[in-house]
């Protein structure tokens, strides 16, 4: 077991980048605040020594009360890693240092690691590292994690630090009133806790009215602190005395917090030299394009459209190619199986069930995903996502929700389960629940191909050409905008009914724009995200294909079980403009949304209308033969956009909310919304046709 | 009540001011302190979002978006216009 090195730091200072550089792991990074919400682990070997690296969630301070901050605080304080590396941002050292000072207060062996040195240099912000080291009393090192520069130096220092004997140092001195109060409180704390933890620190936190800390202390010591105990009594006494001096609880809190800010201001005044005053001119000009009154929203819509258009244009040809190749391979497999005498009862389920669904999922999902993901990641790295949240915040505010919900929705594009986990960046529990419940209104990449297929098959037409792909992109962007609209509508509804409340305060950081590292992004998206998600899809598609084929083709009496189910669902599905088969496919697609369409196709095929699979039956023919029209396709799109979240997402929701009730609500809300929308649309279509025929 | 022109919400784009007092609830005050916004800090309004709210403020070399509902409780003393390269 190697030494444990914990990485702490503000959000978006490049902790995850450093972590990835060190461990070779692929923790997802992105240029926005709150990217890492769980602490990741990995290992790094330097000169034969193995270190275990822990990437703590980003936090602004150890004083606050949000979940990530408590995780970081408890880890540093109670799990006592061997070394804490505080990662700072050279371009805004003042703020990063506040956290560093707080860490210095509690941890013994600390290295202050100033990241983004290259960016600072470009902005002509110079950090005198030696002087910083003197001011803080700990070693400092400047790095550029993106390029892996300075990592060796960091570990040289870590190695040296290990063997050194560290005395106590005073990172900050509180104003006399507070120091006196701490002194008064310390004996009682020492009595209860011994010397194991830094009592000065504990006392300061107790004065800080930090109730979460008492709980953490109880867990740590296995003692329970109740009213009437020594600590409680001493604390009450000290607080009373402070109040007599005019120091209310609030003022004490402020004074403590301000101590760190002022100390950091003081240090930075000495160690930082600014070359030019308008160092962020470029960022502000870009904000003028991406987040201004005039262009903010149009540019956002344009970007959305552009991403879809590039995805559709680029995906068409490889998708067709894969389809054809898979169909050819299927023929070969089929003849091979027949010629070698494999019994029909084996090759049929394997080829028509397993192979068919899997190959469909691959052919339809792989090309758009391997284009969409990199493009999206480029925007993310560039720093655009926070701007999107900034542009849209007003809408969320009037729905009494949090603007950061837009960020969680962006994550939902990749995977709703990830989006739900990402909701932790929202501080208010009420607003977080709203974001969790509405996250599935953003189509994840599993539903994306279904929607895309519907659009190109029934609405725009499948001709290859600029115009049709242009139209497809417009329609797709429209579907997404509809999803955003429904998200807002439902959020507003929830805020006025079961999650009543007013919007809480909101502070969203707008990070500097960064030139994305295109090569890295490409490699990362293809290998990490695309292949991972595809692997997941295949893992669920293959067994599901097999199982459902068997179910669809083994009959009890006259008809198969699935057909019976489909018939049972049919009347209800018709009301929604669907049919029993596709609704059943949506239900069977619960494990993974990717398999909805292939399941539907298989169910139609098993009815025996078409069996010449070997010639590569086109999906469109299957669907049309079963009575599909453009209106069925629209209903399918609507229901694909709004129905229950997939099983993984449901599981994640349960994990995040720890409540069956909210999980159920998260399933019901989108499902009911989808049913209402589909029925409304179908009703409208019927009405229109009636009027036309009149 | 905060007087006209003296709360952070009314700071014009490109203008800077010194924070005089923060009268918000303790939750937000904590967040602001985390960002380094305390009494005496200089803030500059650098932009407004397309729908008029929130606004972006430069605080200690970072840019943070804050809502009007929150910034109207922050008292400020405007500084004279320093530099404004957006106009």
């Amino acid at each position: 077991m190697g030494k444990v090195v914990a990485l702490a730091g503000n959000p978006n200072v490049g902790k995850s980048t450093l972590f990835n550089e060190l461990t070779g792991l692929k923790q997802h990074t992105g240029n926005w605040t709150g990217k890492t919400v769980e602490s990741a682990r990995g290992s790094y070997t330097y000169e034969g020594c193995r270190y275990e690296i822990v990437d703590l969630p980003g936090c602004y301070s150890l004083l606050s009360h949000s979940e990530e901050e408590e995780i970081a605080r408890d880890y540093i304080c109670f799990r006592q890693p061997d070394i804490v590396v505080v990662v700072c941002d050279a371009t805004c050292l003042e703020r990063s240092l506040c956290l560093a000072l707080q860490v210095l207060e509690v941890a013994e062996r600390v290295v202050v690691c100033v990241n983004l040195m290259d960016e600072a240099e470009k902005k002509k912000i110079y950090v005198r590292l030696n002087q910083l080291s003197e001011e803080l009393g700990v070693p400092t090192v400047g790095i550029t994690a993106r390029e892996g520069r300075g990592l060796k130096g960091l570990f040289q220092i870590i190695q040296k630090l290990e063997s050194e004997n560290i005395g106590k140092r005073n990172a900050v001195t509180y104003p006399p009133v507070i120091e006196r109060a701490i002194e008064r409180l310390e004996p009682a704390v020492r009595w209860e806790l011994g010397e194991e933890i830094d009592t000065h620190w504990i006392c300061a936190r107790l004065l800080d009215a930090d109730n979460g800390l008492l709980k953490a202390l109880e867990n740590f010591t296995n003692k329970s602190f109740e009213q009437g105990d020594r600590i409680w009594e001493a604390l009450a006494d000290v607080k009373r005395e402070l109040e007599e001096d005019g120091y209310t609880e609030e003022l004490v809190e402020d004074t403590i917090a301000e101590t760190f800010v002022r100390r950091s201001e003081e240090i930075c005044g000495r160690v930082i030299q600014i070359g030019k005053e308008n160092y962020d001119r470029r960022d502000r000009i870009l904000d003028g394009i991406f987040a201004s009154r005039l262009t903010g929203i149009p540019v956002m819509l344009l970007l959305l459209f552009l991403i879809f258009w590039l995805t559709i244009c680029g995906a068409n040809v490889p998708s067709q190619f894969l389809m054809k190749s898979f169909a050819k391979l299927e023929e070969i497999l089929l003849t091979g199986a027949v010629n070698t005498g494999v019994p029909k009862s084996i090759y049929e389920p394997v080829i028509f069930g397993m192979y068919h669904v899997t190959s469909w999922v691959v052919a339809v999902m792989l090309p758009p995903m391997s284009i969409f993901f990199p493009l999206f990641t480029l925007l993310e790295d560039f720093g655009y996502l926070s701007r999107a949240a900034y542009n849209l915040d007003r809408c969320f505010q009037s729905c009494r929700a949090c603007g950061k919900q837009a960020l969680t929705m962006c994550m939902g594009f990749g995977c709703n389960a990830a989006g739900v986990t990402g909701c932790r960046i929202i501080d208010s529990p009420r607003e977080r629940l709203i974001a969790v419940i509405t996250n599935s209104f953003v189509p994840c990449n599993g539903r994306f191909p279904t929607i895309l297929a519907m659009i190109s098959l029934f609405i725009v037409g499948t001709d290859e050409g600029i115009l049709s792909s242009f139209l497809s992109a417009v329609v797709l962007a429209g579907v997404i905008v509809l999803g955003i609209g429904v998200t807002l509508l439902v959020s507003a509804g929830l805020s006025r009914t079961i999650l009543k409340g007013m919007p809480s305060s909101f502070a969203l950081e707008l990070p500097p724009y960064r030139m994305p590292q295109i090569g890295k992004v490409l490699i990362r998206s293809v290998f990490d995200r695309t292949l991972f998600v595809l692997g997941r899809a295949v893992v669920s598609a293959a067994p599901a294909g097999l199982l459902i084929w068997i179910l669809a083709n083994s009959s009890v009496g006259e008809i198969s079980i699935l057909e019976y189910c489909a018939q049972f669902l049919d009347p209800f599905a018709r009301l929604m403009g669907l049919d029993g088969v596709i609704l059943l496919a949506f239900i069977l697609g619960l494990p993974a949304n990717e398999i909805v369409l292939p399941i539907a196709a298989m169910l139609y095929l098993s009815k025996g209308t078409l069996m010449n699979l070997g010639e590569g039956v086109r999906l469109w023919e299957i669907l049309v033969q079963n009575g599909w029209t453009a209106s069925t396709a629209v209903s399918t799109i609507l229901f694909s956009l709004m129905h229950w979240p997939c099983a993984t997402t449901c599981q994640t929701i349960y994990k995040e909310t720890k409540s069956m009730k909210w999980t159920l609500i998260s399933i019901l809300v989108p499902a009911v919304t989808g049913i209402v929308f589909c029925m409304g649309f179908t009703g409208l279509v019927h009405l229109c046709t009636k009027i036309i025929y009149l | 009540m905060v007087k006209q022109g003296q709360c952070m919400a009314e700071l014009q784009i490109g203008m800077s001011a010194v924070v005089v007092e923060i009268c918000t609830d303790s939750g937000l005050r904590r967040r602001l302190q985390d960002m380094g916004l305390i009494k005496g800090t200089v803030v500059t309004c650098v932009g407004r979002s397309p729908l008029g709210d929130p606004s972006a403020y430069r605080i200690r070399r970072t840019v943070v978006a804050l809502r009007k509902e929150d910034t109207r409780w922050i008292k400020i003393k405007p500084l004279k216009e320093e530099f404004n390269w957006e106009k």
Side-chain angles (χ1 to χ4, degrees):
Chain A
M1 182 77 180
K3 296 260 177 192
V4 179
V5 176
L7 304 181
N10 287 170
N12 204 31
V13 293
K15 280 189 311 302
S16 298
T17 313
L18 175 62
F19 178 80
N20 288 350
E21 282 290 336
L22 289 174
T23 59
L25 287 179
K26 312 292 193 315
Q27 177 86 336
H28 186 65
T29 58
N31 184 11
W32 53 282
T33 297
K35 192 67 248 194
T36 308
V37 285
E38 264 172 294
S39 30
R41 283 162 173 281
S43 66
Y44 176 70
T45 310
Y46 175 74
E47 287 186 353
C49 287
R50 225 183 76 119
Y51 294 92
E52 192 169 343
I53 318 282
V54 180
D55 185 17
L56 295 174
C59 56
Y60 288 109
S61 90
L62 300 180
L63 309 178
S64 262
H65 310 290
S66 84
E67 206 178 324
E68 303 94 79
E69 279 159 348
E70 263 173 38
I71 293 173
R73 184 200 62 198
D74 290 349
Y75 192 89
I76 293 172
C77 177
F78 300 121
R79 307 284 292 279
Q80 294 171 340
D82 296 299
I83 281 167
V84 183
V85 174
V86 187
V87 186
C88 295
D89 181 346
T91 62
C92 55
L93 195 62
E94 257 176 274
R95 206 183 55 199
S96 313
L97 269 191
C98 283
L99 180 75
L101 290 169
Q102 290 167 12
V103 173
L104 282 174
E105 216 187 353
V106 57
E108 242 178 73
R109 290 165 207 274
V110 182
V111 180
V112 172
C113 173
V114 185
N115 189 20
L116 300 167
M117 289 299 273
D118 57 336
E119 213 168 290
E121 204 168 307
K122 261 185 226 146
K123 292 183 171 173
K124 300 216 186 317
I125 298 171
Y126 305 105
V127 185
R128 295 193 198 97
L129 287 169
N130 290 337
Q131 200 171 345
L132 180 64
S133 177
E134 261 168 50
E135 295 276 350
L136 295 173
V138 292
T140 55
V141 58
I143 65 163
T144 301
R146 288 224 293 188
E147 286 159 24
R149 266 197 279 146
L151 304 191
K152 288 262 142 60
L154 172 62
F155 272 83
Q156 258 165 21
I157 288 174
I158 287 177
Q159 210 170 37
K160 223 175 94 195
L161 202 60
E162 266 179 74
S163 50
E164 259 171 48
N165 220 344
I166 312 275
K168 271 255 121 316
R169 53 179 179 256
N170 266 349
V172 286
T173 316
Y174 298 107
V177 192
I178 307 286
E179 287 290 349
R180 267 203 304 279
I182 290 174
E183 230 167 84
R184 294 262 291 114
L185 196 55
E186 237 175 336
V189 173
R190 201 169 289 145
W191 172 277
E192 292 280 6
L193 301 174
E195 292 284 348
E196 215 170 320
I197 320 175
D198 186 345
T199 45
H200 186 269
W201 182 79
I202 297 278
C203 292
R205 294 296 78 77
L206 286 174
L207 286 177
D208 214 14
D210 194 341
N211 293 325
L213 179 76
L214 266 184
K215 237 179 247 151
L217 270 177
E218 286 181 353
N219 287 339
F220 179 67
T221 55
N222 277 327
K223 284 183 186 169
S224 69
F225 302 117
E226 280 158 25
Q227 222 111 19
D229 276 1
R230 253 169 230 268
I231 290 190
W232 271 96
E233 256 173 43
L235 192 58
D237 278 348
V238 170
K239 277 190 179 166
R240 200 174 326 113
E241 278 167 36
L242 278 171
E243 210 143 325
E244 276 163 20
D245 288 345
Y247 273 79
T248 57
E249 207 162 275
E250 222 176 68
L251 188 57
V252 172
E253 272 179 50
D254 285 357
T255 313
I256 290 178
E258 284 173 13
T259 307
F260 290 103
V261 179
R262 294 210 197 283
R263 175 87 179 111
S264 140
E265 196 178 60
E266 197 185 294
I267 294 175
C268 284
R270 287 200 281 266
V271 303
I272 285 194
Q273 193 190 340
I274 310 255
K276 57 176 180 185
E277 210 35 70
N278 58 350
Y279 57 90
D280 68 344
R281 180 158 188 266
R282 196 184 60 119
D283 290 333
R284 300 287 78 78
I285 290 173
L286 285 171
D287 268 349
I289 300 168
F290 293 113
S292 76
R293 183 155 261 196
L294 218 57
T295 54
I297 303 273
V299 167
M300 192 167 71
L301 290 174
L302 198 71
L303 280 175
L304 193 67
F305 161 78
L306 211 64
I307 286 193
F308 290 144
W309 191 37
L310 287 173
T311 305
I312 292 168
C313 276
N316 226 338
V317 176
S319 242
Q320 299 289 338
F321 172 76
L322 281 175
M323 282 277 202
K324 277 185 195 133
S325 316
F326 279 128
K328 270 203 194 107
L329 186 63
E330 186 174 318
E331 257 177 84
I332 296 166
L333 283 175
L334 199 60
T335 35
V338 173
N339 290 342
T340 49
V342 177
K344 202 176 173 186
S345 56
I346 290 178
Y347 76 72
E348 272 203 332
V350 169
I351 292 179
F352 297 148
M354 208 154 83
Y355 176 80
H356 212 76
V357 173
T358 313
S359 65
W360 196 90
V361 168
V362 173
V364 171
M365 280 191 59
L366 184 62
M369 264 171 42
S370 50
I371 297 171
F372 180 80
F373 267 159
L375 287 177
F376 203 76
T377 315
L378 284 178
L379 273 191
E380 189 181 349
D381 273 15
F382 179 53
Y384 183 72
L385 297 195
S386 322
R387 269 71 187 187
Y390 173 66
N391 288 343
L392 288 173
D393 177 64
R394 183 69 188 268
C395 308
F396 286 100
Q397 195 184 346
S398 50
C399 299
R400 298 177 190 173
C402 178
K404 290 182 191 168
Q405 197 173 331
L407 291 173
T408 67
M409 288 162 71
C410 288
M411 292 182 84
F413 269 121
C415 167
N416 290 130
V420 168
T421 313
C423 290
R424 290 191 200 166
I425 58 168
I426 299 170
D427 293 327
S428 140
R430 187 187 71 85
E431 289 163 8
R432 193 181 317 148
L433 268 176
I434 291 178
V436 167
I437 294 171
T438 55
N439 194 271
S440 60
F441 288 125
V442 177
C444 65
N445 61 57
R447 290 181 279 160
F448 214 76
T450 310
I451 295 174
L452 199 57
M454 287 298 115
I455 290 173
S456 60
L457 288 178
F458 285 92
I459 297 177
V460 178
T462 43
D463 337 325
E464 281 158 38
I466 294 287
L467 185 70
S468 82
S469 64
F470 188 83
L471 279 176
S472 298
V474 171
V475 177
L476 188 55
V479 171
I480 302 302
V481 171
L482 175 72
I484 297 171
V486 173
T487 302
L488 289 169
L489 210 69
V490 173
S491 300
L494 289 170
S495 292
R496 282 164 179 83
T497 52
I498 47 173
L499 283 167
K500 225 175 235 164
M502 293 311 286
S504 69
S505 61
F506 168 83
L508 172 78
E509 211 179 315
L510 301 177
Y513 291 95
R514 281 175 195 147
M515 189 62 201
Q517 297 168 295
I518 295 173
K520 259 195 187 167
V521 165
L522 284 181
I523 293 168
R524 207 173 67 203
S525 343
V526 170
F527 287 99
D528 305 350
R529 287 175 87 176
T530 313
L531 290 187
F532 171 76
V533 176
L534 196 72
R536 204 185 74 98
V538 169
V539 164
S540 60
L546 185 67
L547 187 74
I548 288 160
W549 194 90
I550 292 172
L551 281 178
N553 288 279
S554 54
S555 45
V556 184
E558 278 299 289
I559 56 170
S560 74
I561 309 158
L562 287 184
E563 216 180 319
Y564 178 78
C565 294
Q567 278 174 9
F568 173 77
L569 289 171
D570 203 60
F572 183 70
R574 295 274 168 204
L575 285 177
M576 293 164 55
L578 305 170
D579 63 17
V581 170
I582 184 77
L583 187 58
L584 181 63
F586 271 115
I587 294 171
L588 293 172
L590 184 70
N593 280 302
E594 292 86 345
I595 56 177
V596 169
L597 266 192
I599 288 178
M602 196 158 54
L603 291 175
Y604 284 131
L605 286 172
S606 71
K607 286 208 251 173
T609 43
L610 266 166
M611 271 314 263
N612 51 342
L613 273 160
E615 283 152 39
V617 179
R618 287 176 59 206
L619 184 65
W620 186 75
E621 286 165 33
I622 305 172
L623 296 177
V624 168
Q625 288 213 352
N626 283 281
W628 277 53
T629 60
S631 119
T632 328
V634 173
S635 288
T636 309
I637 291 173
L638 288 175
F639 201 60
S640 185
L641 185 67
M642 302 172 260
H643 69 291
W644 44 85
C646 76
T648 317
T649 308
C650 293
Q651 228 178 333
T652 313
I653 294 173
Y654 182 70
K655 216 177 88 194
E656 289 296 314
T657 59
K658 296 182 189 77
S659 142
M660 209 56 199
K661 178 185 149 202
W662 291 115
T663 313
L664 272 176
I665 289 175
S666 309
I667 296 169
L668 283 177
V669 166
V672 170
T673 315
I675 291 171
V676 168
F677 263 81
C678 285
M679 283 185 174
F681 172 75
T682 312
L684 208 68
V685 169
H686 282 308
L687 199 70
C688 289
T689 36
K690 277 223 176 95
I691 290 169
I692 290 166
Y693 281 114
L694 267 176
Chain B
M1 191 60 205
V2 181
K3 263 186 256 159
Q4 272 277 321
Q6 293 204 315
C7 75
M8 197 162 141
E10 278 148 14
L11 195 62
Q12 295 297 311
I13 297 177
M15 300 293 282
S16 298
V18 179
V19 173
V20 177
E21 202 179 340
I22 302 172
C23 311
T24 61
D25 68 276
S26 69
L28 177 61
R29 213 168 48 245
R30 268 287 153 98
R31 279 273 157 254
L32 295 173
Q33 284 161 356
D34 287 349
M35 306 267 174
L37 187 84
I38 56 172
K39 244 185 265 177
T41 306
V42 176
V43 294
T44 311
C45 181
V46 293
R48 254 182 251 302
S49 98
L51 301 169
D53 190 32
S55 299
Y57 298 93
R58 190 191 299 117
I59 303 167
R60 294 178 196 274
R61 281 195 284 285
T62 56
V63 176
V64 180
L66 296 170
R67 285 176 177 171
K68 209 181 276 172
E69 178 50 39
D70 299 328
T71 46
R72 56 191 275 237
W73 304 108
I74 301 173
K75 282 189 204 163
I76 53 164
K77 197 174 116 228
L79 292 174
K80 63 177 186 352
E81 202 164 343
E82 290 167 28
F83 48 88
N84 186 357
W85 51 81
E86 270 155 66
K87 282 178 192 161

